[in-house]
């Protein structure tokens, strides 16, 4: 693999130096020109030495702060931090029907993320609520996540001004962070436009985030044969060049700022001209991106459980578990889309979210390893007492530990599925599990003064009070709205 990585790295430096990046921002072009890049029009060609120097400035590890310091997370060294689905505008029902996502869906996913124990980041674009005016949706989503969770936050990438508004709200929730604080309070996604471009919104997000002390994920997503070369090594080379261009800009704007190396190199379905994230090409390329991040001394970002299936089916489970397991085995630092995603990121599902939480619990069980610290773990005395041809089922230690040892699935259905409806029983159990988890949800502690200050912040941006009241009511309610949501048109 080392030879392959060397060639991909060298090729990416050559792409930046000889082909360059098209940057739709005078600020970005001027910053590169002043630091030695060759700029012609809106294309910047970055010398290899400049790229290498900026890579060296990026930290290998950093901590992402939460409103509750006990929930801070460290990124780097294969930390395996999990985040839920991100960016979907639609909800797929367990019956296969699709509807637009609404704010209540966002609220449910934020509460489930807080209550799960397996997901470590909240907020961002969990789903895009269609019932919130577009011009204020970024603030409403982050307000909801901050009201309902005290975990570290994903930001919202909508350009410089949107980033400042979102960052200001997050900083208010965290007690008024200052830019000189060493650890970021949020992560903002920066997505270059493959092939070889960065638009004003991405660049504005990048500059605003790092200058306020927050972290950025540089996440190009070329598709082999569509927006990237059809050969996987070429696709990886282009993605690496695009990601490194973002790293260079971030480090020139704010030396030493936290950056995640996060290419998402998709697979492709060239029969239909579409992306494929259920393809093993997605996981294979993720492996190389994780290794490149380690080579560069930066934390990595990868996908979690994305799939190409349009519903909660055997295919969705198979492809998601394959991608999740690959992400964990490849020791990625931040694993986004770890729960709920369907149909190439186009939809989220309440039932799939719960199914993915079960998959994450299974992976955690495997990661914990086998305990062999004591004589009790090794069970020599039990083996000697049972002897030849006996059984362990009636042994006292077996009876004592029967309910809390080994893997205990939470998805056991009652009875057999109905004829012709093999997945109905499973989906009913998943709905019950969601209702149970929402019932156990407890809101994070917030002072009345802080809630009032956050309301004032939102009202200053003309967010209607009834939206704020809907979110605050969700803090106090632990009832499941799933039946109502499932019946929505």
């Amino acid at each position: 693999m080392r030879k392959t990585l060397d060639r991909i790295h060298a090729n990416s430096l050559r792409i930046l130096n000889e082909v360059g990046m098209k940057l739709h921002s005078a600020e970005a072009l001027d910053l590169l020109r002043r630091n030695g890049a060759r700029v012609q029009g809106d294309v910047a060609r970055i010398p290899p030495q400049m790229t290498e120097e900026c890579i060296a400035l990026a930290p290998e590890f950093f901590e992402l702060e939460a409103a509750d310091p006990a929930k801070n997370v460290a990124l780097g060294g294969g930390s395996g931090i999990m985040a839920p689905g991100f960016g979907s505008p639609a909800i797929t029902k367990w019956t296969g029907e699709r509807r637009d996502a609404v704010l209540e869906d966002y609220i449910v996913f934020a509460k489930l993320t807080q209550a799960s124990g397996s997901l470590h980041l909240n907020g961002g674009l969990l789903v895009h609520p269609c019932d919130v005016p577009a011009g204020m949706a970024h603030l409403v989503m982050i307000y909801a996540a901050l009201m309902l969770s005290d975990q570290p936050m994903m930001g919202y990438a909508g350009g410089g001004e949107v980033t400042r508004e979102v960052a200001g709200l997050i900083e208010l929730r965290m007690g008024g962070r200052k830019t000189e604080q060493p650890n970021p309070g949020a992560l903002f996604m920066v997505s270059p436009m493959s092939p070889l471009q960065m638009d004003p919104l991405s660049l504005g997000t990048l500059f605003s985030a790092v200058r306020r002390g927050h972290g950025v994920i540089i996440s190009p997503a070329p598709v082999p044969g569509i927006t990237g070369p059809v050969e996987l090594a070429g696709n990886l080379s282009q993605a690496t060049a695009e990601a490194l261009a973002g790293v260079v800009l971030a480090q020139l704007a704010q030396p030493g700022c936290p950056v995640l190396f996060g290419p998402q190199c998709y697979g492709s379905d060239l029969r239909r001209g579409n992306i494929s994230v259920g393809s093993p090409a997605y996981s294979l390329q993720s492996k190389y991106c994780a290794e490149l991040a380690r080579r560069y001394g930066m934390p990595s970002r990868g996908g979690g459980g994305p799939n190409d299936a349009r519903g909660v089916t055997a295919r969705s489970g198979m492809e998601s578990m394959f991608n999740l397991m690959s992400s964990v085995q490849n020791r990625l630092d931040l694993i986004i889309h770890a729960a709920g995603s369907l149909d190439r990121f186009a939809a989220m599902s309440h039932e799939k979210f719960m199914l993915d939480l079960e998959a994450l619990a299974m992976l955690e069980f495997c990661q914990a390893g086998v305990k062999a610290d004591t004589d009790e773990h090794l069970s020599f005395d039990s083996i000697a007492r049972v002897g030849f041809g006996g059984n362990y089922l009636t042994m006292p230690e077996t009876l004592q530990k029967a309910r809390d040892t080994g893997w205990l699935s939470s998805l056991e259905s009652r009875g057999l599925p109905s004829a012709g409806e093999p997945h109905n029983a499973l989906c009913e159990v998943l709905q019950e599990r969601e209702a149970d988890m929402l019932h156990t949800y407890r809101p994070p502690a917030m002072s009345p003064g802080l809630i009032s200050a956050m309301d004032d912040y939102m009202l200053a941006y003309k967010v209607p009070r009834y939206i704020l009241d809907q979110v605050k009511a969700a803090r106090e309610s632990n009832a499941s709205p799933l039946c109502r949501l499932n019946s929505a048109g």
Side-chain angles (χ1 to χ4, degrees), residues 8 55 58 69 119 154 157 187 201 211 223 227 252 260 290 344 359 382 389 426 435 447 461 477 486:
I8 290 170
I55 290 171
L119 299 168
M154 289 289 295
L187 290 176
L201 291 182
R211 285 170 177 157
V223 185
T227 57
L252 292 179
L260 279 87
R344 306 173 179 89
S382 295
L426 172 62
S447 70
Y461 286 101
S477 170
N486 274 340

Side-chain angles (χ1 to χ4, degrees), residues 79-404:
S79 46
I81 299 304
M82 299 287 177
F86 192 92
S88 302
I91 297 291
T92 292
K93 304 179 190 179
W94 69 281
T95 56
E97 301 167 77
R98 185 172 293 198
R99 62 171 174 80
D100 291 337
V102 295
L103 178 57
E104 198 156 15
D105 292 300
Y106 189 100
I107 287 170
V108 168
F109 289 131
K111 293 171 79 171
L112 292 173
T113 300
Q114 168 80 358
S116 71
S118 295
L119 299 168
H120 312 111
L121 266 65
N122 214 319
L125 193 52
L126 288 167
V127 288
H128 198 290
C130 72
D131 56 341
V132 176
M136 62 183 65
H138 60 288
L139 281 172
V140 171
M141 286 186 280
I142 301 302
Y143 173 86
L146 292 169
M147 280 286 178
L148 299 169
S149 172
D150 51 12
Q151 297 168 292
M153 285 288 128
M154 289 289 295
Y156 185 96
E161 186 58 35
V162 164
T163 299
R164 285 188 287 273
E165 292 172 5
V166 166
L169 185 59
I170 293 170
E171 291 158 11
L172 178 61
R173 172 72 171 92
M174 296 178 67
R177 294 181 76 258
K178 305 298 183 184
T179 55
E180 63 267 17
Q181 287 186 239
N183 299 320
L187 290 176
F188 289 82
M189 189 85 72
V190 174
S191 301
M193 299 169 57
S194 300
L196 300 177
Q197 295 189 86
M198 295 184 77
D199 70 330
L201 291 182
S202 292
L203 290 165
T205 297
L206 185 153
F207 290 139
S208 290
V210 300
R211 285 170 177 157
R212 293 184 76 107
H214 299 292
V216 289
I217 309 164
I218 313 296
S219 191
V223 185
I226 301 176
T227 57
V230 71
E231 291 286 349
L232 295 188
N235 199 55
L236 282 162
S237 297
Q238 180 185 299
T240 302
E242 292 168 347
L244 291 180
V247 171
V248 168
L249 286 165
Q251 297 306 321
L252 292 179
Q254 191 73 25
C257 67
V259 179
L260 279 87
F261 180 82
Q264 289 291 279
C265 296
Y266 298 142
S268 56
D269 180 354
L270 294 177
R271 297 168 299 174
R272 298 178 178 86
N274 206 344
I275 72 168
S276 172
V277 290
S279 162
Y282 179 77
S283 288
L284 177 61
Q285 292 176 97
S286 182
K287 175 181 181 178
Y288 284 86
C289 289
E291 290 295 335
L292 284 164
R294 279 188 278 277
R295 174 197 178 106
Y296 298 143
M298 281 185 277
S300 57
R301 174 260 161 141
N307 58 87
D308 296 342
R310 296 189 176 184
V312 184
T313 61
R315 179 185 182 185
S316 73
M318 176 186 70
E319 292 178 355
S320 288
M321 193 61 175
F322 181 83
N323 280 330
L324 270 173
M325 185 165 284
S326 296
S327 295
V328 170
Q329 290 178 336
N330 293 332
R331 297 174 54 240
L332 287 157
D333 292 296
L334 175 59
I335 300 171
I336 301 179
H337 303 292
S341 184
L342 283 173
D343 194 13
R344 306 173 179 89
F345 313 117
M348 284 279 280
S349 160
H350 290 264
E351 294 82 12
K352 183 64 165 54
F353 196 101
M354 301 310 299
L355 188 64
D356 288 337
L357 290 184
E358 182 81 355
L360 289 173
M362 295 173 72
L363 288 171
E364 289 166 9
F365 180 87
C366 290
Q367 286 181 285
V370 174
K371 292 181 180 178
D373 304 326
T374 66
D375 290 343
E376 183 182 1
H377 291 146
L378 294 168
S379 306
F380 179 86
D381 290 342
S382 295
I383 294 167
R385 287 201 307 274
V386 170
F388 309 103
N391 77 82
Y392 292 87
L393 190 58
T394 58
M395 294 289 288
E397 52 265 48
T398 302
L399 296 173
Q400 182 183 355
K401 299 178 180 179
R403 296 185 181 277
D404 58 8

Side-chain angles (χ1 to χ4, degrees), residues 1-12 292 295:
M1 175 182 276
R2 169 167 288 206
K3 182 178 179 181
T4 300
L5 293 173
D6 288 344
R7 299 201 70 187
I8 290 170
H9 171 65
N11 199 30
S12 69
L292 284 164
R295 174 197 178 106

